[in-house]
Coordinates of all heavy atoms in Angstrom, one line a residue:
M270 N 0.8 -12.6 -1.9 CA 0.0 -11.4 -1.8 C -0.9 -11.3 -0.5 O -1.6 -10.3 -0.4 CB -1.1 -11.5 -3.0 CG -0.5 -11.5 -4.3 SD 0.3 -10.0 -4.6 CE 1.9 -10.5 -5.3
N271 N -0.4 -12.2 0.5 CA -1.0 -12.1 1.7 C -0.7 -10.6 2.4 O -1.5 -10.2 3.1 CB -0.7 -13.3 2.6 CG -1.3 -13.3 3.9 OD1 -2.4 -12.7 4.0 ND2 -0.5 -13.9 4.9
K272 N 0.5 -10.3 2.2 CA 0.8 -9.0 2.7 C 0.1 -7.9 2.2 O -0.3 -6.9 2.9 CB 2.3 -8.7 2.5 CG 3.2 -9.8 3.2 CD 4.6 -9.3 3.5 CE 5.6 -10.4 4.0 NZ 5.1 -11.0 5.2
V273 N -0.4 -7.9 0.9 CA -1.2 -7.0 0.4 C -2.6 -6.9 1.1 O -3.1 -5.9 1.2 CB -1.3 -7.1 -1.2 CG1 -2.4 -6.2 -1.9 CG2 0.1 -6.9 -1.9
E274 N -3.0 -8.0 1.4 CA -4.4 -8.1 2.1 C -4.4 -7.6 3.4 O -5.4 -7.1 4.0 CB -4.8 -9.6 2.1 CG -5.1 -10.2 0.7 CD -5.3 -11.7 0.7 OE1 -5.3 -12.3 1.7 OE2 -5.4 -12.2 -0.5
R275 N -3.2 -7.4 4.0 CA -3.0 -6.8 5.3 C -3.3 -5.3 5.4 O -3.3 -4.8 6.4 CB -1.7 -7.2 6.0 CG -1.7 -8.6 6.2 CD -0.3 -8.9 6.9 NE -0.2 -10.5 7.0 CZ 1.0 -11.1 7.3 NH1 2.1 -10.3 7.4 NH2 1.2 -12.4 7.3
V276 N -3.3 -4.8 4.3 CA -3.4 -3.3 4.1 C -4.8 -2.9 4.8 O -4.8 -1.8 5.5 CB -3.5 -2.8 2.6 CG1 -4.0 -1.4 2.5 CG2 -2.0 -3.1 2.0
G277 N -5.8 -3.7 4.7 CA -7.0 -3.4 5.3 C -6.9 -3.3 6.8 O -7.5 -2.3 7.5
N278 N -6.1 -4.2 7.3 CA -5.6 -4.1 8.8 C -5.0 -2.8 9.3 O -5.2 -2.2 10.3 CB -4.9 -5.2 9.3 CG -5.7 -6.5 9.1 OD1 -6.9 -6.5 9.1 ND2 -5.0 -7.7 9.0
I279 N -4.0 -2.4 8.3 CA -3.1 -1.2 8.7 C -4.2 0.0 8.6 O -4.0 0.9 9.4 CB -2.0 -1.1 7.7 CG1 -1.1 -2.3 7.9 CG2 -1.3 0.2 7.8 CD1 0.0 -2.4 6.9
R280 N -5.0 0.1 7.5 CA -6.0 1.3 7.4 C -6.8 1.3 8.6 O -7.1 2.4 9.1 CB -6.7 1.1 6.1 CG -6.0 1.4 4.9 CD -6.8 1.3 3.6 NE -6.2 1.2 2.4 CZ -6.0 2.2 1.7 NH1 -6.4 3.4 1.9 NH2 -5.5 1.9 0.4
A281 N -7.3 0.2 9.2 CA -8.1 0.1 10.4 C -7.4 0.7 11.6 O -8.0 1.5 12.4 CB -8.6 -1.3 10.7
A282 N -6.2 0.4 11.7 CA -5.5 0.9 12.8 C -5.1 2.4 12.7 O -5.2 3.2 13.6 CB -4.1 0.2 12.9
I283 N -4.9 2.8 11.5 CA -4.7 4.2 11.3 C -6.1 5.1 11.6 O -6.0 6.0 12.2 CB -4.3 4.6 9.7 CG1 -2.9 4.0 9.5 CG2 -4.4 6.0 9.5 CD1 -2.4 4.0 8.1
K284 N -7.1 4.4 11.2 CA -8.3 5.1 11.5 C -8.6 5.1 13.0 O -9.1 6.1 13.5 CB -9.6 4.3 10.8 CG -10.9 5.0 11.0 CD -12.0 4.3 10.4 CE -13.4 4.9 10.6 NZ -13.6 5.7 11.8
K285 N -8.3 4.1 13.7 CA -8.3 4.2 15.2 C -7.5 5.3 15.8 O -8.0 6.0 16.6 CB -8.1 2.8 15.8 CG -9.1 1.7 15.6 CD -8.5 0.4 16.2 CE -9.6 -0.6 15.9 NZ -9.2 -2.0 16.6
V286 N -6.3 5.4 15.2 CA -5.5 6.6 15.8 C -6.1 7.9 15.5 O -6.2 8.7 16.4 CB -4.0 6.4 15.2 CG1 -3.2 7.7 15.5 CG2 -3.3 5.2 15.7
T287 N -6.6 8.1 14.2 CA -7.2 9.3 13.7 C -8.4 9.6 14.5 O -8.5 10.6 15.0 CB -7.5 9.1 12.3 OG1 -6.3 8.8 11.5 CG2 -8.1 10.3 11.7
D288 N -9.2 8.5 14.9 CA -10.5 8.7 15.7 C -10.1 9.1 17.1 O -10.8 9.9 17.7 CB -11.3 7.6 15.7 CG -12.0 7.1 14.3 OD1 -11.9 8.1 13.6 OD2 -12.4 6.1 14.1
L289 N -9.0 8.7 17.7 CA -8.7 9.2 19.0 C -8.1 10.5 19.0 O -8.1 11.2 20.1 CB -7.6 8.1 19.5 CG -7.8 6.7 19.9 CD1 -6.8 6.0 20.2 CD2 -8.9 6.8 20.9
M290 N -7.6 11.1 17.9 CA -7.1 12.5 17.9 C -8.4 13.4 17.8 O -9.2 13.2 17.1 CB -6.2 12.7 16.7 CG -5.0 11.9 16.8 SD -3.8 12.1 15.4 CE -4.6 12.8 14.2
G291 N -8.3 14.4 18.8 CA -9.4 15.4 18.8 C -9.0 16.6 19.5 O -7.9 16.7 19.9
A292 N -9.9 17.4 19.7 CA -9.5 18.8 20.4 C -9.3 18.6 21.7 O -8.6 19.4 22.3 CB -10.8 19.7 20.1
N293 N -9.8 17.5 22.4 CA -9.5 17.3 23.7 C -8.2 16.4 24.0 O -7.8 16.3 25.3 CB -10.6 16.6 24.5 CG -11.9 17.5 24.3 OD1 -11.8 18.7 24.5 ND2 -13.1 16.8 24.1
T294 N -7.6 16.0 23.0 CA -6.5 15.0 23.1 C -5.2 15.9 23.4 O -4.5 15.6 24.4 CB -6.3 14.1 22.0 OG1 -7.5 13.4 21.8 CG2 -5.1 13.2 22.1
W295 N -4.9 16.8 22.6 CA -3.7 17.7 22.6 C -3.9 18.9 21.8 O -4.4 18.9 20.7 CB -2.5 16.8 22.0 CG -1.2 17.4 22.0 CD1 -0.6 18.4 22.8 CD2 -0.1 17.0 21.2 NE1 0.6 18.6 22.5 CE2 1.0 17.8 21.5 CE3 0.1 16.0 20.2 CZ2 2.2 17.5 20.9 CZ3 1.4 16.0 19.6 CH2 2.3 16.6 20.1
V296 N -3.6 20.0 22.4 CA -3.9 21.3 21.6 C -2.5 22.2 21.7 O -1.8 21.8 22.5 CB -5.1 22.0 22.3 CG1 -6.4 21.2 22.2 CG2 -4.9 22.4 23.7
G297 N -2.6 23.1 20.8 CA -1.5 24.0 20.7 C -0.8 23.8 19.5 O -1.1 23.1 18.6
A298 N 0.3 24.7 19.3 CA 1.0 24.7 18.1 C 1.7 23.3 17.7 O 1.7 22.8 16.6 CB 2.2 25.9 18.1
S299 N 2.2 22.7 18.9 CA 3.0 21.5 18.7 C 2.0 20.3 18.1 O 2.3 19.5 17.4 CB 3.6 20.9 20.1 OG 4.7 21.8 20.4
A300 N 0.7 20.4 18.7 CA -0.4 19.5 18.3 C -0.6 19.8 17.0 O -0.9 18.7 16.1 CB -1.6 19.6 19.2
D301 N -0.7 20.9 16.5 CA -1.1 21.3 15.1 C 0.0 20.8 14.1 O -0.3 20.3 13.1 CB -1.2 22.7 15.0 CG -2.6 23.3 15.6 OD1 -3.4 22.4 16.0 OD2 -2.7 24.5 15.9
T302 N 1.2 21.0 14.5 CA 2.4 20.6 13.7 C 2.4 19.1 13.6 O 2.6 18.6 12.5 CB 3.7 21.1 14.3 OG1 3.7 22.5 14.3 CG2 5.0 20.6 13.5
W303 N 2.2 18.4 14.6 CA 2.2 16.9 14.7 C 1.0 16.4 13.8 O 1.2 15.5 13.0 CB 2.1 16.4 16.1 CG 2.3 14.9 16.1 CD1 3.5 14.2 16.2 CD2 1.2 13.9 16.0 NE1 3.2 12.9 16.2 CE2 1.8 12.6 16.0 CE3 -0.1 14.0 15.8 CZ2 1.1 11.5 16.0 CZ3 -0.9 12.8 15.8 CH2 -0.3 11.6 15.8
G304 N 0.0 17.0 14.0 CA -1.4 16.6 13.1 C -1.1 16.9 11.8 O -1.5 15.9 11.1
T305 N -0.6 17.9 11.3 CA -0.3 18.2 9.9 C 0.7 17.2 9.4 O 0.4 16.6 8.3 CB 0.2 19.6 9.7 OG1 -0.7 20.6 10.1 CG2 0.6 19.9 8.3
D306 N 1.6 16.9 10.2 CA 2.6 15.9 9.7 C 2.0 14.5 9.6 O 2.2 13.8 8.6 CB 3.9 15.9 10.7 CG 4.9 14.9 10.2 OD1 5.3 15.1 9.1 OD2 5.3 14.0 11.0
F307 N 1.4 14.0 10.6 CA 0.6 12.8 10.7 C -0.4 12.7 9.3 O -0.4 11.7 8.7 CB -0.2 12.7 12.0 CG -1.1 11.3 12.1 CD1 -0.4 10.1 12.3 CD2 -2.4 11.4 11.8 CE1 -1.2 9.0 12.4 CE2 -3.1 10.2 11.8 CZ -2.5 9.0 12.2
S308 N -1.2 13.8 9.2 CA -2.1 13.7 8.0 C -1.3 13.6 6.6 O -1.8 12.8 5.8 CB -3.0 15.0 8.0 OG -3.8 15.0 9.2
G309 N -0.2 14.2 6.6 CA 0.6 14.1 5.4 C 1.2 12.6 5.2 O 1.0 12.1 4.0
R310 N 1.6 12.3 6.2 CA 2.3 10.8 6.1 C 1.2 9.9 5.9 O 1.5 8.8 5.1 CB 3.0 10.5 7.4 CG 4.4 11.4 7.5 CD 5.0 11.0 8.8 NE 6.1 11.9 9.0 CZ 7.4 11.8 8.5 NH1 7.7 10.7 7.8 NH2 8.4 12.7 8.8
M311 N 0.1 9.9 6.5 CA -1.0 9.0 6.2 C -1.5 9.1 4.9 O -2.0 8.0 4.3 CB -2.2 9.1 7.4 CG -1.6 8.8 8.7 SD -0.8 7.2 9.0 CE 0.8 7.6 9.1
G312 N -1.7 10.4 4.3 CA -2.0 10.5 3.0 C -1.1 9.8 2.0 O -1.6 9.1 1.0
A313 N 0.1 10.0 2.2 CA 1.3 9.4 1.3 C 1.1 7.9 1.5 O 1.2 7.1 0.5 CB 2.6 9.8 1.7
L314 N 0.9 7.3 2.7 CA 0.8 5.9 2.9 C -0.5 5.4 2.2 O -0.3 4.3 1.6 CB 0.7 5.5 4.3 CG 0.8 4.1 4.9 CD1 2.0 3.4 4.4 CD2 0.7 4.0 6.3
S315 N -1.5 6.0 2.3 CA -2.8 5.7 1.6 C -2.6 5.8 0.2 O -3.1 4.7 -0.6 CB -4.0 6.7 2.0 OG -5.1 6.3 1.4
R316 N -1.9 6.6 -0.5 CA -1.8 6.6 -2.0 C -0.9 5.3 -2.3 O -1.0 4.8 -3.3 CB -1.1 7.9 -2.4 CG -2.0 9.1 -2.4 CD -1.5 10.4 -3.0 NE -0.3 10.8 -2.1 CZ -0.3 11.6 -1.1 NH1 -1.6 11.8 -0.7 NH2 0.8 12.0 -0.4
L317 N 0.1 5.1 -1.5 CA 0.9 3.8 -1.6 C 0.1 2.6 -1.7 O 0.1 1.7 -2.6 CB 2.0 3.9 -0.6 CG 3.0 2.6 -0.7 CD1 3.7 2.5 -2.1 CD2 3.8 2.5 0.4
F318 N -0.8 2.5 -0.6 CA -1.6 1.3 -0.6 C -2.6 1.3 -1.8 O -2.9 0.2 -2.3 CB -2.4 1.4 0.8 CG -1.7 1.1 2.0 CD1 -2.2 1.5 3.1 CD2 -0.4 0.6 1.9 CE1 -1.5 1.2 4.3 CE2 0.2 0.2 3.1 CZ -0.2 0.6 4.3
D319 N -3.1 2.4 -2.2 CA -4.0 2.4 -3.3 C -3.3 1.9 -4.7 O -4.0 1.4 -5.6 CB -4.5 3.8 -3.7 CG -5.5 4.4 -2.5 OD1 -5.9 3.4 -1.8 OD2 -5.8 5.4 -2.4
S320 N -2.0 2.1 -4.6 CA -1.3 1.7 -6.0 C -1.1 0.0 -5.9 O -0.8 -0.4 -7.0 CB 0.2 2.3 -6.0 OG 1.1 1.8 -5.1
Y321 N -1.2 -0.7 -4.8 CA -1.0 -2.0 -4.7 C -1.8 -2.9 -5.7 O -1.2 -3.8 -6.3 CB -1.2 -2.6 -3.3 CG -0.1 -2.2 -2.4 CD1 0.9 -1.4 -2.6 CD2 -0.2 -2.7 -0.9 CE1 2.0 -1.1 -1.8 CE2 0.9 -2.4 -0.2 CZ 1.8 -1.5 -0.5 OH 2.9 -1.3 0.4
P322 N -3.0 -2.8 -5.8 CA -3.8 -3.6 -6.6 C -3.3 -3.6 -8.2 O -3.2 -4.6 -8.8 CB -5.4 -3.2 -6.7 CG -5.3 -2.4 -5.3 CD -3.9 -1.8 -5.0
A323 N -3.0 -2.3 -8.7 CA -2.6 -2.2 -10.1 C -1.3 -2.8 -10.2 O -1.0 -3.5 -11.2 CB -2.6 -0.8 -10.5
E324 N -0.5 -2.6 -9.2 CA 1.0 -3.3 -9.2 C 0.9 -4.9 -9.1 O 1.6 -5.5 -9.9 CB 1.9 -2.7 -8.2 CG 3.2 -3.1 -8.1 CD 4.0 -2.8 -9.5 OE1 3.5 -2.0 -10.3 OE2 5.3 -3.3 -9.6
E325 N 0.0 -5.3 -8.4 CA -0.2 -6.6 -8.2 C -0.6 -7.5 -9.5 O 0.1 -8.3 -10.0 CB -1.2 -7.0 -7.1 CG -1.4 -8.5 -7.0 CD -2.6 -8.8 -5.9 OE1 -3.3 -7.9 -5.6 OE2 -2.7 -9.8 -5.4
Q326 N -1.7 -6.6 -10.2 CA -2.0 -7.2 -11.5 C -0.9 -7.0 -12.5 O -0.7 -7.9 -13.3 CB -3.1 -6.5 -11.9 CG -3.8 -7.0 -13.2 CD -4.2 -8.5 -13.1 OE1 -4.8 -8.9 -12.1 NE2 -3.8 -9.3 -13.9
R327 N -0.1 -6.0 -12.5 CA 1.0 -5.8 -13.4 C 2.0 -7.0 -13.3 O 2.4 -7.6 -14.2 CB 1.6 -4.5 -13.3 CG 2.8 -4.2 -14.4 CD 3.6 -3.0 -14.0 NE 4.5 -3.3 -12.8 CZ 5.7 -3.9 -13.0 NH1 6.0 -4.6 -14.0 NH2 6.4 -4.2 -11.8
L328 N 2.3 -7.3 -12.0 CA 3.2 -8.4 -11.8 C 2.7 -9.8 -12.2 O 3.5 -10.6 -12.7 CB 3.7 -8.4 -10.3 CG 4.5 -7.2 -9.9 CD1 4.6 -7.3 -8.3 CD2 5.9 -7.2 -10.5
I329 N 1.5 -10.0 -11.9 CA 0.8 -11.2 -12.4 C 0.8 -11.4 -13.9 O 1.2 -12.5 -14.4 CB -0.6 -11.4 -11.8 CG1 -0.5 -11.5 -10.2 CG2 -1.3 -12.5 -12.4 CD1 -1.9 -11.4 -9.6
T330 N 0.6 -10.3 -14.6 CA 0.6 -10.3 -16.0 C 2.0 -10.6 -16.6 O 2.1 -11.4 -17.5 CB -0.1 -9.0 -16.6 OG1 -1.3 -8.9 -16.2 CG2 0.0 -9.0 -18.1
K331 N 3.0 -10.0 -15.9 CA 4.2 -10.2 -16.5 C 4.8 -11.5 -16.1 O 5.3 -12.2 -17.1 CB 5.3 -9.1 -15.7 CG 6.6 -9.3 -16.2 CD 7.6 -8.3 -15.5 CE 9.0 -8.3 -16.0 NZ 9.5 -9.7 -16.2
A332 N 4.4 -12.1 -15.1 CA 4.8 -13.5 -14.8 C 4.1 -14.3 -15.8 O 4.8 -15.4 -16.3 CB 4.5 -13.9 -13.3
Q333 N 2.9 -14.1 -16.0 CA 2.1 -15.1 -17.0 C 2.9 -14.9 -18.3 O 3.0 -16.0 -19.1 CB 0.7 -14.7 -17.1 CG 0.0 -15.1 -15.8 CD -1.5 -14.4 -15.9 OE1 -1.7 -13.3 -16.5 NE2 -2.3 -15.2 -15.0
Q334 N 3.2 -13.7 -18.8 CA 3.9 -13.5 -20.1 C 5.3 -14.1 -20.1 O 5.7 -14.9 -21.1 CB 4.0 -12.0 -20.4 CG 2.8 -11.3 -20.7 CD 2.8 -9.9 -20.8 OE1 3.7 -9.3 -20.2 NE2 1.8 -9.3 -21.3
D335 N 6.0 -14.1 -19.0 CA 7.3 -14.7 -18.9 C 7.3 -16.2 -19.0 O 8.0 -16.8 -19.7 CB 8.0 -14.3 -17.6 CG 8.4 -12.8 -17.7 OD1 8.5 -12.2 -18.8 OD2 8.8 -12.3 -16.6
Q336 N 6.2 -16.9 -18.3 CA 5.9 -18.2 -18.4 C 5.4 -18.7 -19.7 O 6.0 -19.8 -20.2 CB 4.9 -18.6 -17.4 CG 4.8 -20.1 -17.1 CD 6.0 -20.8 -16.7 OE1 6.5 -20.3 -15.6 NE2 6.5 -21.9 -17.5
A337 N 4.6 -17.9 -20.4 CA 4.2 -18.2 -21.8 C 5.5 -18.4 -22.8 O 5.6 -19.2 -23.6 CB 3.2 -17.2 -22.2
K338 N 6.4 -17.4 -22.6 CA 7.6 -17.4 -23.3 C 8.5 -18.6 -23.0 O 8.9 -19.2 -24.0 CB 8.5 -16.1 -23.1 CG 8.0 -14.9 -23.5 CD 8.8 -13.7 -23.2 CE 8.2 -12.4 -23.8 NZ 9.0 -11.2 -23.3
L339 N 8.5 -19.0 -21.8 CA 9.2 -20.3 -21.5 C 8.5 -21.5 -22.0 O 9.2 -22.5 -22.4 CB 9.5 -20.4 -19.8 CG 10.4 -19.2 -19.3 CD1 10.3 -19.4 -17.7 CD2 11.7 -19.5 -19.8
N340 N 7.3 -21.4 -22.0 CA 6.5 -22.6 -22.6 C 6.5 -22.7 -24.2 O 6.1 -23.7 -24.6 CB 5.1 -22.5 -22.1 CG 4.9 -22.7 -20.5 OD1 6.0 -23.2 -19.9 ND2 3.9 -22.4 -20.0
N341 N 6.9 -21.6 -24.7 CA 6.8 -21.6 -26.2 C 8.0 -22.5 -26.7 O 9.1 -22.3 -26.5 CB 7.0 -20.2 -26.7 CG 6.7 -20.0 -28.3 OD1 6.9 -20.9 -28.9 ND2 6.7 -18.7 -28.6
P342 N 7.7 -23.4 -27.6 CA 8.7 -24.3 -28.1 C 9.7 -23.8 -28.9 O 11.0 -24.3 -29.0 CB 8.0 -25.5 -28.9 CG 6.7 -24.9 -29.1 CD 6.4 -23.8 -28.0
V343 N 9.6 -22.5 -29.5 CA 10.6 -21.9 -30.2 C 11.4 -20.9 -29.4 O 12.1 -20.2 -30.0 CB 10.0 -21.2 -31.5 CG1 9.3 -22.2 -32.4 CG2 8.9 -20.1 -31.2
H344 N 11.1 -21.0 -28.1 CA 11.8 -19.8 -27.3 C 13.2 -20.1 -27.2 O 13.8 -21.3 -27.0 CB 11.3 -20.1 -25.9 CG 11.8 -19.2 -24.8 ND1 12.9 -19.4 -24.1 CD2 11.7 -17.8 -24.6 CE1 13.4 -18.6 -23.4 NE2 12.7 -17.5 -23.6
G345 N 14.0 -19.2 -27.4 CA 15.4 -19.3 -27.3 C 16.1 -19.9 -28.7 O 17.3 -20.0 -28.7
A346 N 15.2 -20.3 -29.7 CA 15.8 -20.7 -30.9 C 16.4 -19.6 -31.7 O 15.7 -18.7 -32.0 CB 14.8 -21.7 -31.6
S347 N 17.6 -19.7 -32.1 CA 18.2 -18.7 -33.1 C 18.6 -19.3 -34.3 O 18.8 -20.4 -34.5 CB 19.4 -18.1 -32.4 OG 19.0 -17.4 -31.2

C-alpha cells in the first residue's frame, strides 16, 4: 500500500504545475485547448485517486475473508 500513500506526492506535483499555469505563462487558443485537456485529465486522475481508499479496504476485507475460509477446519470438506 506504499504506492497508494504516494498519491499525496503526485497531487502535490499536480498542484505545483497548476499553480505555475496562469495568464502570463501561455495565452491563446492553443493554451486554452491545452488547459482544458490538462484540467480534464487531472480531474479524471483525481477521481481515480479518490477511489483508492475504498478499493484498498475492499481488497483487505476480501483477503481476510479468504484467509478465514482457509483457516476454517471444514473448508473444502465435501
Side-chain angles (χ1 to χ4, degrees):
M270 294 301 136
N271 187 26
K272 297 203 186 303
V273 172
E274 293 169 3
R275 293 183 187 165
V276 167
N278 295 338
I279 296 169
R280 286 185 194 260
I283 291 169
K284 182 177 181 334
K285 285 182 182 179
V286 170
T287 302
D288 290 347
L289 289 173
M290 296 180 346
N293 297 326
T294 305
W295 183 19
V296 295
S299 295
D301 293 342
T302 299
W303 187 90
T305 299
D306 184 53
F307 178 80
S308 294
R310 290 177 190 271
M311 293 309 103
L314 189 58
S315 182
R316 288 186 296 280
L317 176 64
F318 288 162
D319 290 344
S320 75
Y321 284 5
E324 182 63 10
E325 178 183 19
Q326 188 55 53
R327 186 191 70 77
L328 291 171
I329 290 169
T330 300
K331 183 179 181 321
Q333 290 169 337
Q334 291 170 344
D335 291 348
Q336 187 61 50
K338 286 179 187 175
L339 291 173
N340 293 341
N341 186 344
V343 297
H344 178 266
S347 299

